[in-house]
Amino acid sequence: MYDPTLTIPLSLFFPMTTQFDDAAAMELPPGSFGLPILGEIFSFITDNQDFAKNRHERYGSIFKTKLIGFDAPIVYIKGAEANKYVLMNEHKLFVSYFPGSIRNLLGDKAITQQYGDVHQNRRKLLYSAFQPRSLSSYLTGMISVTDQYLEKWLDLQTFTWYPEIQKYTFDIACKLLISLDNASSTPLYRDYDLWGDGLFSFPLPFPWTKYQKTLRSRQRLIEQLGDLVESRKKNPSDSTSDILDLLISEKDENGDHLTFEEVNEQLLTILFAAHGTLASAICSLCIVFGQNKDIFQQAKEEQEQLGLAEEINYEKLQQMPFLDQVIRETLRLFPPVGGGFRKAIQPCSLNGYHIPKGWNVIYQASLTHLDIEVYDKPDEFDPDRFTPESHKKLAKNMSYIPFGGGMRECIGKEYARLEMKLFAAKLLQGYEWDILPNQNMDLDIIPVMKPRDGLKVNFQSVDGI
Ligand code: HEM
């Protein structure tokens, strides 16, 4: 079991220098620390999505706060310049650093918790599973799971889509990354569901609380993943490698194999990253098409021009510029991951304000993507703002960061794009759906963005495929 007070001795990795001492002479960012111990937690809970938005309106692009559960004050930042400063200074001024309750659930051997050379080494290793060659080899598996689900949804006709999409993305992730078929009908899925749902729960020590149940689901997940690892070690696959093979055969900086504990924790994190975020993104895409019939029609026409009768292949998926724009705009307006957690490992300064060493920093894709200085009518869905040129520019200057940026940029972003595109192309080629009335379409944002009632739809096939 994990220690809730777990802290990483960052100073061991990053000895203090005096380079930024001038920053200490500056003012701290504006904002309030709220109540002793609790900080501003009550506003955080009641304001939901508006907590940061309201404070940015009052204080500008940077403000400070305190929230119970964090080990130090927090600075919220938004906007391209601030993103660049924080994301491009990973390992120099900032490191990825989740609140303790989340660190316990992820484990300290997961890639998100690794630093310096070890982090770079693991990224390199994992990245080999997401290169174009690997991606194109995943397509057949993605297509077979997609067809299976489309058939199931036609039979169901009226259903709640989000939980179905979660199973769909989980089945694909497990099939491709650990060679496990139909994983959504195993206990692994049930425990992932519990674990993901409780990832951001408050860490109370009583056994009946959500957090403790989530810790127990983590323990079961680790055991199940451990069994898979053991079984793979006994029966190595002789076909192409998946992530499980990569992690088992990898050697660390000292020439030793990764520990059993690390392999399990890396798997735990990657499988979650690979299905939770994608379920959110694909569900948002279904809402966008369901609510914007003109965009649906335009994307459908693009598919028709590519030839409906022929099977989708990797090359064809690269030739859907309008669908690319729709996906980019979906990830702008509905980023599955609203932002990320960092810790200042040096005293530093941003926008003329001092950020002391040890303070937490939260960067926000969600609010950066609504910057009126960058995006005209930012609340409107407009795929035309993402031509290939404008996309490149917005991504480069960090006004557009659905996949984060810098050294911690998402390693699965091309896998995510491929799956979103394949799913959308399949739907556009032969299906239609109506979003049913009388349901709550408000979006919850934790742990990923999703519609509160799970998106109830009526689903049909049209003109055959
Ligand atoms: C639409 C889908 C996805 C979105 C929006 C997304 C978003 C993100 C973001 C914003 C980060 C950076 C977090 C930070 O700065 O702290 C990240 C990191 C990461 N993502 Fe994704 N992701 C997606 C899909 C995936 C997939 C499919 C995989 C794997 C198959 C994956 C694996 C990872 C990993 C391992 C990291 C940690 C990288 C590191 O710490 O070096 N993600 N993702």
Side-chain angles (χ1 to χ4, degrees):
M1 193 58 72
Y2 282 82
D3 173 12
T5 58
L6 175 112
T7 52
I8 297 165
L10 294 170
S11 52
L12 289 180
F13 302 109
F14 304 100
M16 167 91 177
T17 72
T18 52
Q19 194 181 349
F20 294 93
D21 278 357
D22 283 354
M26 294 175 181
E27 267 182 63
L28 292 172
S32 158
F33 283 155
L35 299 169
I37 301 173
L38 298 171
E40 295 198 283
I41 194 69
F42 292 122
S43 311
F44 182 83
I45 293 167
T46 51
D47 295 354
N48 192 16
Q49 296 206 37
D50 291 334
F51 175 80
K53 193 169 158 234
N54 292 343
R55 281 160 182 74
H56 281 303
E57 271 164 16
R58 201 177 319 153
Y59 301 121
S61 62
I62 168 168
F63 72 86
K64 69 172 184 294
T65 184
K66 271 189 185 172
L67 295 171
I68 185 169
F70 282 80
D71 58 359
I74 308 150
V75 174
Y76 274 75
I77 59 145
K78 66 162 189 166
E81 283 311 310
N83 295 337
K84 222 182 283 172
Y85 184 66
V86 171
L87 296 177
M88 299 314 282
N89 278 308
E90 178 80 26
H91 294 175
K92 289 186 215 135
L93 300 180
F94 304 95
V95 286
S96 166
Y97 192 81
F98 289 85
S101 58
I102 302 178
R103 290 204 306 279
N104 287 338
L105 289 168
L106 293 168
D108 60 359
K109 307 276 187 308
I111 184 165
T112 46
Q113 326 280 90
Q114 290 172 318
Y115 303 101
D117 291 346
V118 176
H119 174 243
Q120 289 305 293
N121 169 302
R122 300 306 186 269
R123 264 186 84 89
K124 211 165 130 208
L125 162 77
L126 293 172
Y127 186 69
S128 62
F130 299 105
Q131 283 167 354
R133 196 159 42 92
S134 314
L135 289 175
S136 67
S137 76
Y138 293 157
L139 199 59
T140 316
M142 279 187 186
I143 291 175
S144 84
V145 179
T146 309
D147 287 343
Q148 199 182 309
Y149 271 85
L150 289 170
E151 226 168 90
K152 176 183 176 194
W153 296 338
L154 270 187
D155 284 347
L156 288 173
Q157 205 176 341
T158 300
F159 58 94
T160 305
W161 217 347
Y162 187 76
E164 282 294 312
I165 297 171
Q166 269 186 305
K167 288 182 191 163
Y168 163 74
T169 55
F170 191 69
D171 277 346
I172 293 188
C174 290
K175 185 181 182 67
L176 302 180
L177 304 180
I178 57 172
S179 306
L180 181 68
D181 283 328
N182 300 319
S184 66
S185 33
T186 67
L188 193 65
Y189 180 72
R190 216 182 32 242
D191 283 317
Y192 255 114
D193 205 25
L194 286 171
W195 183 79
D197 194 44
L199 196 56
F200 286 78
S201 57
F202 192 73
L204 292 169
F206 313 110
W208 61 86
T209 54
K210 192 168 184 175
Y211 186 70
Q212 295 301 325
K213 286 182 189 160
T214 312
L215 274 177
R216 291 198 290 276
S217 66
R218 175 194 199 275
Q219 190 54 37
R220 290 192 299 273
L221 281 172
I222 288 289
E223 282 162 17
Q224 293 169 69
L225 292 169
D227 288 346
L228 285 170
V229 174
E230 288 295 7
S231 139
R232 179 65 64 87
K233 278 185 183 164
K234 279 188 202 133
N235 307 296
S237 63
D238 41 26
S239 58
T240 46
S241 301
D242 56 13
I243 281 224
L244 188 49
D245 281 327
L246 282 173
L247 289 168
I248 290 174
S249 56
E250 170 66 355
K251 302 247 172 91
D252 68 13
E253 321 60 66
N254 307 318
D256 299 325
H257 282 291
L258 305 190
T259 63
F260 184 58
E261 192 189 4
E262 172 167 353
V263 173
N264 292 342
E265 291 188 356
Q266 297 288 18
L267 281 175
L268 179 75
T269 303
I270 290 161
L271 285 178
F272 178 69
H275 92 279
T277 49
L278 259 170
S280 163
I282 287 179
C283 184
S284 298
L285 202 53
C286 296
I287 297 176
V288 162
F289 281 135
Q291 289 180 337
N292 300 277
K293 293 295 175 193
D294 51 330
I295 288 169
F296 179 83
Q297 198 48 43
Q298 202 177 331
K300 196 175 165 72
E301 278 160 23
E302 181 177 73
Q303 294 300 311
E304 281 163 1
Q305 281 158 18
L306 281 166
L308 276 182
E310 290 164 46
E311 188 51 272
I312 293 175
N313 58 34
Y314 193 70
E315 287 65 42
K316 271 205 182 144
L317 283 170
Q318 315 307 313
Q319 299 159 20
M320 301 173 184
F322 185 67
L323 186 53
D324 275 331
Q325 291 182 203
V326 173
I327 288 175
R328 285 182 189 132
E329 178 68 343
T330 303
L331 293 174
R332 178 189 72 84
L333 212 44
F334 310 106
V337 181
F341 299 98
R342 295 291 185 272
K343 184 171 274 289
I345 51 167
Q346 298 286 355
C348 51
S349 67
L350 180 59
N351 287 8
Y353 294 113
H354 170 53
I355 303 178
K357 181 182 176 184
W359 280 30
N360 298 294
V361 175
I362 295 184
Y363 78 85
Q364 299 162 93
S366 47
L367 294 181
T368 297
H369 291 177
L370 296 177
D371 188 343
I372 198 149
E373 303 287 325
V374 179
Y375 299 102
D376 186 33
K377 300 190 184 141
D379 293 324
E380 284 181 14
F381 190 89
D382 176 10
D384 289 340
R385 50 175 120 237
F386 280 113
T387 61
E389 299 73 44
S390 63
H391 166 244
K392 236 180 245 162
K393 200 170 133 216
L394 291 166
K396 190 161 178 237
N397 75 15
M398 294 211 170
S399 298
Y400 182 66
I401 50 163
F403 294 104
M407 276 191 193
R408 296 259 170 201
E409 189 181 41
C410 177
I411 55 167
K413 71 176 187 174
E414 293 308 329
Y415 170 109
R417 284 206 186 108
L418 183 70
E419 192 169 317
M420 286 182 80
K421 237 169 141 180
L422 169 73
F423 179 86
K426 282 271 182 190
L427 281 187
L428 290 162
Q429 290 186 4
Y431 302 87
E432 270 180 8
W433 59 98
D434 295 309
I435 298 177
L436 298 177
N438 305 324
Q439 61 175 314
N440 191 340
M441 293 294 288
D442 289 347
L443 297 170
D444 285 333
I445 51 169
I446 287 175
V448 288
M449 197 177 265
K450 60 173 187 291
R452 192 151 303 158
D453 279 354
L455 190 62
K456 296 171 189 160
V457 291
N458 189 286
F459 188 83
Q460 316 109 58
S461 79
V462 286
D463 54 43
I465 37 174

